[in-house]
Amino acid sequence: MFKWLKSGSPWIWLTGGAVSISLLSVLGLLLLIGWKGLSYFWPAPLYQWQTKDGELLVGQIYSQEYVPITHLREMDIDLPASVEEKGLAKRVNIKVANRDLYSADFVSLLEIDLSPPTLPQHWAVIERTRGGDFFGQPVGYQHPDGRVSTDVTQDITSGLAYAQTLRKEIYRLIQQEVRVISGQAERLRLEKRKRSLNDNLDDEFLAYYQRQNEQYLDSLAKVEAKLDNLRGKLENQGLLVEDMTGERVTIPLSHILDLWYPNQMSMGEKLIRWGKQAWKFLSEDPRESNSEGGVFPAMFGTVLMVLIMSVIVMPLGVIAAIYLHEYAKNNAFTRLIRVAVINLAGVPSIVYGVFGLGFFVYTLGASIDSLFYQERLPAPTFGTPGLLWSALTLAVLTLPVVIVATEEGLTRIPNSVRHGSLALGATQFETMWRIVLPMASPAMITGLILAVARAAGEVAPLMLVGVVKLASSLPVDSQFPFLHLERKFMHLGFHIYDVGFQTTNIESARPLVYATSLLLVTVIIGLNLTAISIRNNLREKYRTLGQD
C-alpha cells in the first residue's frame, strides 16, 4: 500500500477522476441548456381540464411538481385519503395565455382539483405581435367589408400570406424611404449648423435649405400616407376566436403573425413547425420588451463586437509580447510591466467598464466630437457609449491574455533558429517577421481563442459602454459609411440578463433564457472552432520549422 502511494498512482487516478467529473458536469450543463432551449420551439399540445367548480380550463402544461401535504394542511386545504397516504400532492402549472383577457398567463392547481386532461380538437395557438400567444377556437374570419365567413382555414391562410406581403412592403418603405429621407434631411440640417458656426451661412444656401427641406417634408408626408394606408388594410380584417370561457373576440390581422393547431399536427408537421420557429428566433427582431420574437440584432451585435475586438487586440498584444521578449532588457522596469500584465488579468471586468466609460467615452469620445462633430453638439456622436468603445474596452480586458499566450509561444522557439537566420545575413526585423512570428502564430491564435471565449460572454462592462436593451437599428446598413461604430448595439449576454430578470412576465419568458443561452454558447463555440481550425492549419504549415 505504501509503495502504491509512493509511486504516485493515486494522484494520477484522482486527477483523472477530477477531470472526468468536470467534463461530465460541463456536458450535463450543456445538455440541460440544450434541452430546455430547443424544446422552447416545440409545438406543445393544448390540454383541456374541468375544475371542481365546473369551469373549463384550456392550456399547455408548463411544469409539474409534488408538494408535501404538510404545506397544504397549513393552507387548510382538504385532501382525499389517497393523497394523505402518499404524503405528496401533484401541482400542475398551466399556461393559459390570453394575457389581455385573464389576470395572469399561468394558473397553478392541484391535480386532485382537475379532471383527467383531454386533447380538444380545432383549438389553435395564435402567435401575436403583442400580448403573447392566444389560445382559442377560430369560429370565423372577418373580411374588410364586414362580412364574417366560417371557412376559417382557407381565409386565415390567404390572410396571413396577404399580411406578410403588406409587412414586407411596410418594412421596405421604412428602410428604403423613411430612413433615407430622414438621413438626408438630418445631413442638410447639420450642414446648415456647420455653416452657421463657421460664419459661412449666406442667403443662397438658406434658400437652397428651405427648398430642399420642404421637398423632404413633402416626401415624408407621402410615405407616411402610404404606410397609414397599408396599416389600415391590416386593421380592417381579422380572426374571430372563442376562448375557454366562451367569450368571442376579434383579433385584427395586424396582430396575427402565425397560427397552428398543435393537437391536429403529425410528428412531421411538428418537426417542420419546430424548425420554422427556430429560424424565426434566429432571424427576427425581438418583441414585447424582448420576451417574444427573435434575437437576430443581439446575435449580430455579439459577433460584430467580438470581430472588431479581435482586430484591435491582436496587433496590440502581439507587438507588446514581441517587445517584452525580443527587444526589452531584463531590468526592473520590464519586470514591473510583466507583473502589471499578470495583475491586469485578475482585475474585475466591471472595473474595465468604468475605465472605458471614463476614458474612451467621456474623454476620447468627447474630444472627437469637439474636433470633428461640432455641428452635432450638444447631441454626442462618439461621446456616448457605442460599438467602438465596447470593442476597445474588451480589447483592454483581454490584452493580458494575448500578451501572455504570445510570449509563451515566443519562448518555445529555440534561439538557434534566430542565430541561424542572423548568421545567414538577415536583420533582426527580417528574422522576426519571416521566421519567428510564423512559428509563433499558433500560440498567437491560442491567445485569440482565449480572448474570444472571455469577451463574448462579458456583460458587466458592456452595460456601461454601449449595450442597450433594444437598438433601433443595426450598426451595419446601406448608408455611408456602412459600418457605424458610434451606434449602440444589442448583445446576447445582456439579452439573457434582461429577459431573465427585467421583463414584466419573467415566468413566461424563462424558456427564452435557455434558448438564448444555448445560442450564446453556440456562437462562442463557433468562433473558437474557427480560430482552432486556423491554428491547426498554421501549425501544420510551420511544423518543419520546429513547431511541435
Side-chain angles (χ1 to χ4, degrees):
M1 184 68 178
F2 178 75
K3 291 183 178 180
W4 182 65
L5 291 174
K6 191 176 180 180
S7 67
S9 297
W11 313 118
I12 296 175
W13 283 101
L14 284 175
T15 303
V19 172
S20 301
I21 293 174
S22 300
L23 291 176
L24 289 175
S25 301
V26 172
L27 180 61
L29 177 61
L30 292 178
L31 289 176
L32 174 64
I33 295 175
W35 172 258
K36 293 283 189 179
L38 295 176
S39 61
Y40 170 69
F41 310 109
W42 188 259
L46 290 173
Y47 293 98
Q48 178 177 308
W49 298 268
Q50 190 169 10
T51 66
K52 61 181 181 180
D53 298 329
E55 296 180 355
L56 191 66
L57 192 64
V58 177
Q60 296 173 343
I61 297 178
Y62 182 75
S63 63
Q64 301 181 69
E65 60 181 352
Y66 286 92
V67 184
I69 61 172
T70 54
H71 295 176
L72 301 177
R73 286 200 193 103
E74 293 176 358
M75 301 170 63
D76 296 329
I77 297 177
D78 295 331
L79 299 173
S82 58
V83 175
E84 293 278 358
E85 293 176 358
K86 293 180 181 179
L88 295 172
K90 182 186 285 189
R91 182 162 58 192
V92 184
N93 194 13
I94 302 171
K95 180 181 179 180
V96 294
N98 305 10
R99 66 181 64 162
D100 49 344
L101 300 181
Y102 312 144
S103 58
D105 272 353
F106 298 87
V107 294
S108 185
L109 296 171
L110 295 175
E111 189 179 44
I112 57 176
D113 295 332
L114 298 172
S115 64
T118 60
L119 294 173
Q121 299 299 310
H122 309 297
W123 277 74
V125 176
I126 303 171
E127 184 182 5
R128 300 185 292 177
T129 57
R130 55 177 179 267
D133 292 340
F134 192 97
F135 300 160
Q137 185 175 5
V139 294
Y141 187 86
Q142 181 177 333
H143 293 270
D145 56 2
R147 177 176 53 88
V148 177
S149 64
T150 57
D151 190 4
V152 179
T153 303
Q154 181 177 356
D155 289 338
I156 192 60
T157 301
S158 59
L160 289 175
Y162 177 66
Q164 184 67 15
T165 303
L166 292 184
R167 288 193 182 98
K168 288 182 179 179
E169 179 63 18
I170 290 173
Y171 179 81
R172 187 195 66 80
L173 288 174
I174 293 175
Q175 295 295 325
Q176 299 183 10
E177 297 193 27
V178 174
R179 289 186 181 275
V180 172
I181 297 172
S182 299
Q184 293 173 345
E186 178 65 12
R187 285 192 291 271
L188 182 63
R189 184 190 69 83
L190 293 175
E191 178 65 22
K192 177 185 176 184
R193 177 171 171 78
K194 185 176 181 179
R195 286 173 175 264
S196 177
L197 293 174
N198 296 332
D199 295 328
N200 192 24
L201 190 62
D202 52 17
D203 294 338
E204 181 180 355
F205 180 80
L206 286 174
Y208 170 77
Y209 172 81
Q210 187 68 24
R211 184 170 61 256
Q212 285 295 115
N213 193 46
E214 290 179 356
Q215 291 181 2
Y216 291 146
L217 293 176
D218 183 61
S219 299
L220 281 175
K222 292 179 179 179
V223 177
E224 288 293 338
K226 292 181 181 178
L227 291 173
D228 292 340
N229 182 41
L230 293 175
R231 294 182 180 122
K233 292 180 179 179
L234 290 175
E235 291 288 345
N236 59 12
Q237 52 185 313
L239 184 65
L240 185 62
V241 186
E242 182 178 315
D243 71 343
M244 63 184 184
T245 64
E247 180 181 357
R248 293 193 174 187
V249 296
T250 301
I251 305 177
L253 189 60
S254 59
H255 294 181
I256 302 176
L257 292 174
D258 207 345
L259 177 145
W260 62 92
Y261 298 87
N263 295 345
Q264 300 173 230
M265 299 172 70
S266 63
M267 183 58 66
E269 291 172 336
K270 288 185 177 181
L271 286 172
I272 294 174
R273 170 59 54 182
W274 178 86
K276 184 177 180 181
Q277 293 298 110
W279 172 249
K280 289 166 67 175
F281 173 74
L282 295 174
S283 60
E284 292 186 353
D285 294 341
R287 308 187 307 270
E288 288 287 303
S289 187
N290 288 348
S291 62
E292 302 281 349
V295 293
F296 176 75
M299 181 176 61
F300 184 87
T302 302
V303 175
L304 181 61
M305 182 208 63
V306 170
L307 292 178
I308 296 175
M309 181 274 300
S310 302
V311 171
I312 296 172
V313 74
M314 281 302 293
L316 295 177
V318 171
I319 291 173
I322 291 173
Y323 171 77
L324 291 174
H325 190 270
E326 302 291 333
Y327 293 96
K329 297 180 180 179
N330 188 15
N331 51 31
F333 180 70
T334 305
R335 290 193 293 270
L336 180 62
I337 293 177
R338 294 182 190 277
V339 172
V341 169
I342 295 173
N343 288 334
L344 281 175
V347 174
S349 60
I350 189 65
V351 176
Y352 286 100
V354 175
F355 168 77
L357 182 65
F359 178 72
F360 292 133
V361 178
Y362 292 152
T363 302
L364 190 58
S367 301
I368 293 175
D369 284 348
S370 61
L371 290 175
F372 302 104
Y373 298 95
Q374 190 176 7
E375 68 275 7
R376 295 177 179 264
L377 295 175
T381 302
F382 282 94
T384 185
L387 176 62
L388 176 61
W389 307 136
S390 297
L392 282 172
T393 301
L394 290 187
V396 174
L397 186 149
T398 57
L399 185 61
V401 177
V402 178
I403 293 176
V404 172
T406 304
E407 194 169 1
E408 288 180 355
L410 294 173
T411 303
R412 290 197 297 267
I413 299 174
N415 286 328
S416 58
V417 175
R418 298 178 177 85
H419 296 161
S421 176
L422 295 173
L424 292 173
T427 63
Q428 187 176 8
F429 176 78
E430 290 174 338
T431 300
M432 178 62 57
W433 182 256
R434 296 180 180 276
I435 304 297
V436 177
L437 281 183
M439 293 174 64
S441 56
M444 295 158 50
I445 300 300
T446 300
L448 177 62
I449 293 170
L450 297 174
V452 167
R454 182 176 182 187
E458 287 291 348
V459 177
L462 298 179
M463 295 170 63
L464 300 176
V465 290
V467 166
V468 291
K469 177 186 179 72
L470 186 64
S472 59
S473 57
L474 294 175
V476 177
D477 57 22
S478 58
Q479 300 181 19
F480 184 82
F482 310 117
L483 176 60
H484 303 274
L485 297 176
E486 76 281 1
R487 288 184 183 175
K488 295 177 175 60
F489 66 103
M490 297 179 66
H491 187 271
L492 286 174
F494 183 75
H495 190 273
I496 294 170
Y497 163 75
D498 179 67
V499 172
F501 299 98
Q502 301 295 316
T503 56
T504 56
N505 196 344
I506 295 177
E507 190 68 27
S508 178
R510 183 178 299 172
L512 188 61
V513 174
Y514 289 103
T516 310
S517 301
L518 177 62
L519 178 60
L520 178 59
V521 172
T522 305
V523 168
I524 295 174
I525 292 176
L527 292 172
N528 286 341
L529 288 178
T530 302
I532 290 172
S533 176
I534 296 173
R535 182 186 64 182
N536 292 340
N537 290 334
L538 291 173
R539 183 171 292 170
E540 289 295 326
K541 181 178 180 181
Y542 299 109
R543 182 184 296 273
T544 56
L545 293 179
Q547 187 70 29
D548 293 334

